[in-house]
Amino acid sequence: MAIIERPATEPVVAPTPTPAPIVTPSEAFGTFRRPVETTGWRAWVFTVDHKKIGVMYGAAALFFFVVAGLEALLIRAQLAGPEGTVLSADVYNQMFTMHATTMIFLFAIPMAAGLANYLVPLQIGARDVAFPRINAFGFWCFLAGGIVLNLSWFLGGAADGGWFMYQPNASVPFSPTNGVDFWALGLQIAGIASLTGAINLIVTILNMRAPGMSLMRMPVFTWMILVTQFLLVFAIPVITVAFFLLTFQRSFDAAFFSPAAGADPLLWQHLFWIFGHPEVYILVLPSFGIVSEVLPVFSKKPLFGYPFVVFSGIAIGFLGWGVWAHHMFASGLGPVSVAVFATATMAIAVPTGVKIINWTLTMWGGKLRFTTAMLFAMGLVVQFTIGGLSGVTHSVAPSDTQQTDTYYIVAHFHYVLFGGSVLGFFAGFYYWWPKVFGKCLSERLGRWNFWLMIIGMNLTFGPMHILGLQGQPRRMYIWTTERSGEGFFNLGFWNLVSSIGAFILAVGVLFFLTNIVHTHRKGAPAPLDPWDARTLEWITTNPPKEHNFDRVPTVSHLDEFFHRKYEDVGEGDAHDLRAVATAEEVLAAEQAQADAQIHMPSPSYWPIVVAATLPVIALGIIYGVYIVSIVGALLMVFGIFGWAMEPGTAPDSDFDPSPVDDGGPTTELVRSE
Amino acid sequence: MSDAATLEAQVAHDDHGDHGGHGGNGAGHPPTTTGLSHNKLGMWLFLGSECLLFGGLISTYMLYRGRASENLGPDQIYDLPFTSVSSFVLLMSSLTMVLAVSAAGRKDVRNVKLWLTVTALLGATFVGGQVYEFTSFYREGLGFTTSLFSSSFYALTGFHGVHVSVGIIMLLAVVGMISRDRIPGDRAEVVELVGLYWHFVDIVWIVIFTLVYLIPA
Ligand code: HEM
Ligand SMILES: [Cu+2]
């Protein structure tokens, strides 16, 4: 934060004996006085600090995870017994649509964005992201999109066409409430967050690496985030087109998807899945990055085959563009297309398998420590493999024709999404909590959390394989005893098991939430390097200072931090590690050379102002009151001008006077604590 | 002790990829890992993303171009000479944009303002032509919802028109901000960024013009 922009009332304690004159915040270029608060809600709402933004992303995403989880519980409650009465058919449709949409767009993507925001600059030795204000803007867009999407619950009903919103099923005659309109525009707004965030993170990773941090010295998490952001940059515009066409169709009477008017309903499917398949990698690659950080730390071995893990990530990123039509095998594409897409899909299993092998070999012969983070990471390896195997079964098109639209598919994608993304995120939570909040989550509660989630998820999603192969269709809101069959494969029994599993899973999540509260009430401050970590983000305090590093570290190795702590005197593959420095010593050595003056980007009103105009525009379109949209658009233009004329960092003259030359670590500058 | 300037460069560089840009804190081009400025790299990524946006719209148009109602199809309705002229005007604006960028490189403020204004005027002529074209189509009976062809035609060219209009606003804003000396940061780079965007929009038009107007349905 702009160090100079303190309230004038705060006593000025200059680092030099001569008291520095109070510097007033710049108004020279900005339209208004800039925000100056460093505490209280304003410090969050107007912040451009990547760490605060990361925490806000994480908190909001966790909230949406709970919301979508409750929606899933309602679904499972409805299906627990025959002729369920918890949800009506109509509400059931809304429930699974919103469950999926919320999980994917409001939990998984933003949770990855939050972790990336917080950690990527730290992992590459940067002090912030390339475009701090755009970063803040992205967060507010995500939140605005999430609010618009969920407003529909209170304004006549939510979207009900399933998360891929096939057309013309989701056109006005079949889905007459405004739910789908809220859906299209809410996700459109959230899409802006993903696009701006992606550009920001790519530029940050490519352009702001610490000296010596070559691409092949980057931590794998950063690598996977880089791949993910490239996927977003090219996938988001495709779905943007689809959402626009959908809005034109529903709000302006175009007929892009009406077969009655001669339209091709497959147009929507193609646009959706050209986005949708890369999207599944967008969901899972960040978690792959997380386990690639966690497994080496708790095996005390470097990641096995780092270049293979990186390149297989990149390969997945490329291949992911050529397989979208495997979601459309049943739509009559023709045998040639089906064959091509089936083969491409099988090919993608190869780089994925490479990763699994690398993770396994990382643990092989390592000194394993079964912390909660490690348990979650190992959980991912196992559960994701199950999901990957059932995935390969649907790459075989004839078999997919049998499975499509059954619970077998639901089983598959929950093993990859829950077993992949979610378990990975949880590994990340336990691993990085001390970095972000300065306290380790309780390991005791963590174990409960882990085992309940693992048992719960297998009980919930495991039986769905059976249900699906027995023919239970997905999106089925009710079942009856007469039609559920008998014996071991009777649908009633397995539906009940699945529902019980869901509640066990929910208790597991409850343990996590309890753990957060418990840790923040009772937890002791974490040690500087609680896990004996390997990467750059640990060469700073917990939590890091506003400017991250007192001195930007110079990197000479992959796993730089580890190499500063240990010397490997083993020969060949035998690792014989000799400790040469403690984490405290490494940090002290860095701090001894702290930079005298650090100018951080200054907070700004404009990101939230500009983002807040988007829901206004959207609501105007949904209700056909275009004047509201026009007012919103004008406000947005005004906001952009305010933004454009405000320098990202208050000008030099505003910073504290003359550099201090006593050589001390004066990076806290005048905002002395 | 590292020098403050490098550090500043790391973080203090301003955030602008998307609306024409406002450079850093005036410190010139800060050293970045790739040597490209953040703004320029960001702009390139944004334009890469835009390629897929237009890709989607163009595909939709190509799918539906043949699905027109009688005698209001592409072959009947387009006025090729007129659109050729307005396309030529738009292409010329790329030339004047180049002149503006080169003037900015020489710090020749007067010519920067001149050429940016001319570029904006040429762009406005193009948009004016598009408005005229749309109204005459509409008078002939081709509304937005008349047929799949018309919906996809208006969606595609309309999106492009919006992009040109946004470009015009950016050009004029830059002229205004230069006149009142209100551009934080590197002025030449701001002009260059707007230039990148402008050329991109022109190139997209060449593609659209070829696919939509020149190739018979
Ligand atoms: C918290 C535990 C979860 C439970 C108990 C759960 C349960 C369910 C159930 C029962 C369905 C099927 C509804 C139906 O077809 O009638 C479903 C659908 C779905 N879920 Fe989950 N789920 C959970 C977590 C997740 C997560 C983490 C994600 C993604 C990140 C996710 C994404 C989806 C998707 C995409 C659908 C498909 C919806 C559709 O058919 O349009 N779920 N979920
Ligand atoms: Cu797929």
Side-chain angles (χ1 to χ4, degrees):
Chain A
M1 225 129 289
I3 306 123
I4 35 86
E5 309 216 284
R6 58 198 180 279
T9 48
E10 200 175 296
V12 176
V13 186
T16 39
T18 23
I22 294 167
V23 187
T24 46
S26 165
E27 290 181 61
F29 292 91
T31 312
F32 294 132
R33 216 165 160 272
R34 297 180 84 126
V36 295
E37 289 78 5
T38 52
T39 53
W41 63 272
R42 287 187 191 82
W44 288 86
V45 171
F46 305 125
T47 187
V48 295
D49 176 359
H50 74 99
K51 294 182 290 304
K52 282 190 174 145
I53 294 171
V55 171
M56 290 196 292
Y57 260 117
L62 197 61
F63 170 77
F64 284 121
F65 178 62
V66 172
V67 171
L70 291 175
E71 286 160 0
L73 287 185
L74 286 171
I75 293 174
R76 280 321 315 174
Q78 164 74 8
L79 295 182
E83 286 163 76
T85 50
V86 179
L87 303 173
S88 68
D90 181 30
V91 176
Y92 187 88
N93 289 348
Q94 300 174 28
M95 212 51 90
F96 70 70
T97 304
M98 290 298 280
H99 157 69
T101 306
T102 308
M103 278 293 184
I104 289 176
F105 293 95
L106 305 182
F107 161 65
I109 297 186
M111 185 56 88
L115 287 164
N117 238 302
Y118 199 101
L119 293 162
V120 161
L122 289 165
Q123 286 202 325
I124 62 172
R127 288 200 167 125
D128 208 320
V129 290
F131 307 114
R133 285 183 298 178
I134 290 182
N135 201 20
F137 173 68
F139 169 73
W140 296 113
C141 284
F142 146 61
L143 198 63
I147 291 171
V148 169
L149 186 65
N150 279 288
L151 267 184
S152 57
W153 283 118
F154 310 104
L155 297 173
D160 55 2
W163 87 281
F164 38 71
M165 212 51 77
Y166 272 2
Q167 304 294 329
N169 183 40
S171 56
V172 179
F174 308 106
S175 187
T177 68
N178 282 325
V180 178
D181 304 319
F182 279 99
W183 185 87
L185 289 164
L187 294 184
Q188 192 79 283
I189 297 174
I192 301 176
S194 296
L195 181 66
T196 53
I199 293 177
N200 194 1
L201 282 168
I202 295 175
V203 176
T204 306
I205 296 172
L206 293 182
N207 250 359
M208 296 176 68
R209 278 167 285 142
M213 173 72 77
S214 62
L215 287 175
M216 294 312 278
R217 283 183 195 154
M218 276 184 350
V220 181
F221 176 70
T222 297
W223 253 116
M224 292 304 115
I225 291 296
L226 182 63
V227 174
T228 312
Q229 306 310 309
F230 269 106
L231 290 175
L232 278 169
V233 163
F234 296 115
I236 292 288
V238 181
I239 196 71
T240 302
V241 170
F243 290 151
F244 271 125
L245 297 185
L246 179 58
T247 301
F248 290 151
Q249 163 109 10
R250 290 185 53 102
S251 300
F252 302 99
D253 300 324
F256 290 110
F257 309 115
S258 312
D264 192 338
L266 286 195
L267 173 64
W268 171 269
Q269 298 194 16
H270 280 296
L271 290 175
F272 189 89
W273 289 116
I274 289 174
F275 154 83
H277 191 85
E279 168 67 17
V280 305
Y281 296 116
I282 293 166
L283 297 175
V284 86
L285 285 179
S287 286
F288 282 6
I290 294 171
V291 290
S292 305
E293 301 288 308
V294 170
L295 289 174
V297 166
F298 297 107
S299 309
K300 207 159 184 171
K301 273 178 66 190
L303 183 65
F304 183 88
Y306 167 89
F308 287 93
V309 177
V310 168
F311 285 115
S312 62
I314 297 174
I316 291 176
F318 274 104
L319 288 175
W321 289 96
V323 299
W324 78 87
H326 62 207
H327 297 271
M328 301 162 61
F329 283 153
S331 66
L333 288 173
V336 176
S337 309
V338 167
V340 168
F341 280 101
T343 317
T345 304
M346 288 174 208
I348 238 176
V350 175
T352 317
V354 166
K355 294 207 161 198
I356 293 178
I357 291 170
N358 279 291
W359 292 328
T360 315
L361 290 178
T362 302
M363 290 184 276
W364 188 265
K367 239 167 92 188
L368 304 189
R369 275 179 295 155
F370 296 99
T371 60
T372 310
M374 179 66 162
L375 291 176
F376 273 108
M378 295 169 76
L380 179 144
V381 177
V382 175
Q383 303 291 319
F384 183 84
T385 305
I386 299 177
L389 290 175
S390 62
V392 175
T393 69
H394 3 274
S395 74
V396 184
S399 122
D400 182 68
T401 318
Q402 184 74 18
Q403 296 152 2
T404 193
D405 271 334
T406 69
Y407 258 80
Y408 188 82
I409 297 287
V410 181
H412 154 68
F413 65 65
H414 282 94
Y415 268 93
V416 291
L417 290 175
F418 203 97
S421 328
V422 179
L423 294 184
F425 288 144
F426 273 79
F429 296 156
Y430 280 88
Y431 179 60
W432 281 305
W433 207 271
K435 174 65 17 195
V436 179
F437 298 105
K439 290 177 176 182
C440 292
L441 286 168
S442 152
E443 285 288 315
R444 193 172 47 82
L445 290 172
R447 255 146 246 269
W448 280 96
N449 177 190
F450 171 76
W451 286 111
L452 285 167
M453 268 173 67
I454 285 290
I455 294 170
M457 86 158 272
N458 285 295
L459 283 181
T460 314
F461 305 122
M464 289 183 185
H465 292 105
I466 302 175
L467 292 172
L469 291 176
Q470 292 297 303
Q472 176 169 318
R474 74 192 271 198
R475 302 176 175 177
M476 185 189 75
Y477 94 104
I478 207 160
W479 54 273
T480 55
T481 330
E482 299 87 77
R483 301 185 59 194
S484 63
E486 286 157 10
F488 183 69
F489 290 120
N490 122 32
L491 299 185
F493 174 69
W494 291 112
N495 268 310
L496 182 61
V497 172
S498 176
S499 296
I500 293 172
F503 282 86
I504 296 177
L505 182 51
V507 176
V509 175
L510 213 57
F511 266 93
F512 176 65
L513 300 178
T514 316
N515 201 345
I516 296 179
V517 176
H518 171 85
T519 302
H520 285 261
R521 288 244 184 89
K522 305 230 173 80
L528 187 61
D529 180 20
W531 317 121
D532 197 5
R534 311 178 72 88
T535 40
L536 227 54
E537 75 269 28
W538 297 95
I539 311 190
T540 182
T541 49
N542 296 338
K545 299 173 189 162
E546 239 164 62
H547 51 268
N548 293 355
F549 301 99
D550 286 340
R551 184 179 86 122
V552 172
T554 301
V555 178
S556 51
H557 289 89
L558 174 66
D559 291 340
E560 174 71 18
F561 184 41
F562 195 79
H563 281 275
R564 293 196 189 184
K565 291 184 295 186
Y566 295 95
E567 203 174 356
D568 191 348
V569 294
E571 311 217 326
D573 273 348
H575 297 287
D576 183 0
L577 298 174
R578 197 158 298 160
V580 289
T582 62
E584 284 76 8
E585 285 162 0
V586 174
L587 180 60
E590 285 290 324
Q591 284 177 333
Q593 309 187 50
D595 295 318
Q597 217 187 15
I598 299 164
H599 296 186
M600 296 305 291
S602 317
S604 172
Y605 294 118
W606 299 113
I608 187 170
V609 168
V610 176
T613 62
L614 292 166
V616 178
I617 299 175
L619 288 173
I621 294 176
I622 293 172
Y623 288 104
V625 195
Y626 300 126
I627 184 75
V628 173
S629 303
I630 293 169
V631 171
L634 290 176
L635 283 173
M636 180 160 81
V637 173
F638 167 76
I640 291 174
F641 271 100
W643 181 327
M645 286 190 277
E646 176 190 78
T649 304
D652 275 4
S653 57
D654 280 2
F655 281 95
D656 287 287
S658 57
V660 198
D661 50 7
D662 63 355
T666 55
T667 47
E668 295 300 322
L669 292 187
V670 259
R671 212 168 37 71
S672 59
E673 263 97 339
Chain B
M1 181 165 307
S2 344
D3 52 323
T6 335
L7 304 162
E8 227 179 285
Q10 276 236 326
V11 289
H13 198 55
D14 185 22
D15 39 344
H16 261 281
D18 59 349
H19 352 155
H22 333 282
N25 45 9
H29 287 285
T32 60
T33 317
T34 60
L36 276 174
S37 83
H38 294 342
N39 289 342
K40 218 176 280 173
L41 196 54
M43 183 55 105
W44 278 111
L45 287 164
F46 173 67
L47 296 181
S49 173
E50 289 271 287
C51 285
L52 276 106
L53 184 93
F54 281 106
L57 290 165
I58 290 174
S59 312
T60 307
Y61 174 80
M62 295 309 276
L63 180 66
Y64 287 155
R65 59 189 305 204
R67 306 190 191 179
S69 47
E70 289 169 34
N71 62 44
L72 283 175
D75 294 338
Q76 291 94 10
I77 201 121
Y78 293 152
D79 179 355
L80 206 51
F82 177 83
T83 316
S84 305
V85 172
S86 69
S87 306
F88 181 74
V89 171
L90 190 64
L91 285 189
M92 282 305 104
S93 75
S94 260
L95 185 68
T96 53
M97 189 72 229
V98 169
L99 293 173
V101 172
S102 100
R106 297 190 312 267
K107 301 211 186 317
D108 178 352
V109 178
R110 217 175 58 89
N111 274 319
V112 172
K113 286 196 289 188
L114 172 70
W115 291 119
L116 288 179
T117 316
V118 174
T119 310
L121 284 177
L122 291 174
T125 313
F126 173 83
V127 174
Q130 199 172 36
V131 171
Y132 169 80
E133 186 191 32
F134 282 13
T135 26
S136 70
F137 287 0
Y138 186 73
R139 288 227 190 82
E140 286 175 53
L142 191 77
F144 179 60
T145 57
T146 308
S147 62
L148 286 168
F149 155 69
S150 73
S151 302
S152 54
F153 168 78
Y154 284 121
L156 171 58
T157 49
F159 260 94
H160 183 266
V162 170
H163 275 77
V164 178
S165 309
V166 169
I168 296 171
I169 297 177
M170 292 196 317
L171 289 166
L172 295 178
V174 171
V175 173
M177 283 160 70
I178 290 181
S179 307
R180 304 165 115 226
D181 198 18
R182 276 190 157 225
I183 293 194
D186 183 346
R187 212 184 257 172
E189 192 189 54
V190 172
V191 176
E192 210 182 325
L193 289 172
V194 179
L196 276 178
Y197 175 86
W198 191 261
H199 294 314
F200 170 79
V201 173
D202 274 10
I203 292 170
V204 170
W205 181 254
I206 297 178
V207 177
I208 294 178
F209 183 65
T210 314
L211 290 177
V212 174
Y213 293 86
L214 292 185
I215 298 179

